[in-house]
Amino acid sequence: MKTTLYPLLMGLLLLGATACEEESATPETQPEFFVKAQKAGQAWTVPGSGVYVRTTKKFHVYGNQNQANMPEAYLRLDFEAPTQGTTVAAQAEWLELVGGDVIVDNYSTTGVAEPSSVEVTRLDTVQRVLEGRFQTTLRRDQRWSTRGELLPFSNGSFRIRYTVVQ
């Protein structure tokens, strides 16, 4: 009896182990509205949102990082409303937070020689959806370090639903 149960148990264990491997090998699904880029050379994809401010005619795009094993943070891109297919200069900022409102680190475009840019590839003012590509390099704020570390975001893209405010 022992010899027939042993192969059966081993087979079940192996089947369970390969099932776990297959589950972990499946890629994470991208949210419908997202911001993604190569952040410091690593793939980075997070949920995205945005705001259009009528009085300043500026878009603010947010990539909200709130995932396990990563610090709570967000990337903000600010730029004037361009016509579709044109590239515009942008300001950008990276904030790391604790408890949702205490800033513990930040990077911005202040003091960076290479300008940040955004290209709008789709603007749907009825559905309020904005899509585009971006690139930016941010410098760590002197408040957190005097070495001026850089944080590059390359090959960036986004699809966000935005709200309109006055």
Side-chain angles (χ1 to χ4, degrees), residues 29-35 45-48 122 127 129-131 158-161:
T29 58
Q30 178 172 288
E32 180 181 6
F33 299 105
F34 63 88
V35 176
T45 303
V46 295
R122 177 177 169 233
Q127 296 294 318
V129 173
L130 178 67
E131 294 182 27
F158 58 86
R159 179 187 320 122
I160 56 116
R161 185 174 305 277

Side-chain angles (χ1 to χ4, degrees), residues 3-105:
T3 58
T4 57
L5 283 178
Y6 182 73
L8 179 63
L9 287 174
M10 289 308 291
L12 288 173
L13 286 173
L14 287 173
L15 180 62
T18 55
C20 289
E21 286 177 19
E22 289 173 11
E23 287 176 18
S24 64
T26 58
E28 292 183 27
T29 58
Q30 178 172 288
E32 180 181 6
F33 299 105
F34 63 88
V35 176
K36 69 179 181 177
Q38 290 291 313
K39 176 183 158 230
Q42 301 292 317
W44 180 76
T45 303
V46 295
S49 62
V51 174
Y52 175 70
V53 181
R54 276 195 190 129
T55 54
T56 61
K57 296 183 177 158
K58 283 192 173 188
F59 278 102
H60 304 277
V61 173
Y62 301 93
N64 304 303
Q65 176 178 287
N66 197 4
Q67 301 155 323
N69 302 326
M70 297 179 93
E72 182 180 355
Y74 72 86
L75 173 69
R76 187 185 78 224
L77 301 168
D78 303 331
F79 53 95
E80 291 184 12
T83 57
Q84 189 167 313
T86 60
T87 302
V88 295
Q91 295 294 315
E93 185 172 35
W94 172 261
L95 293 172
E96 289 187 14
L97 308 168
V98 170
D101 61 355
V102 178
I103 299 171
V104 294
D105 202 358

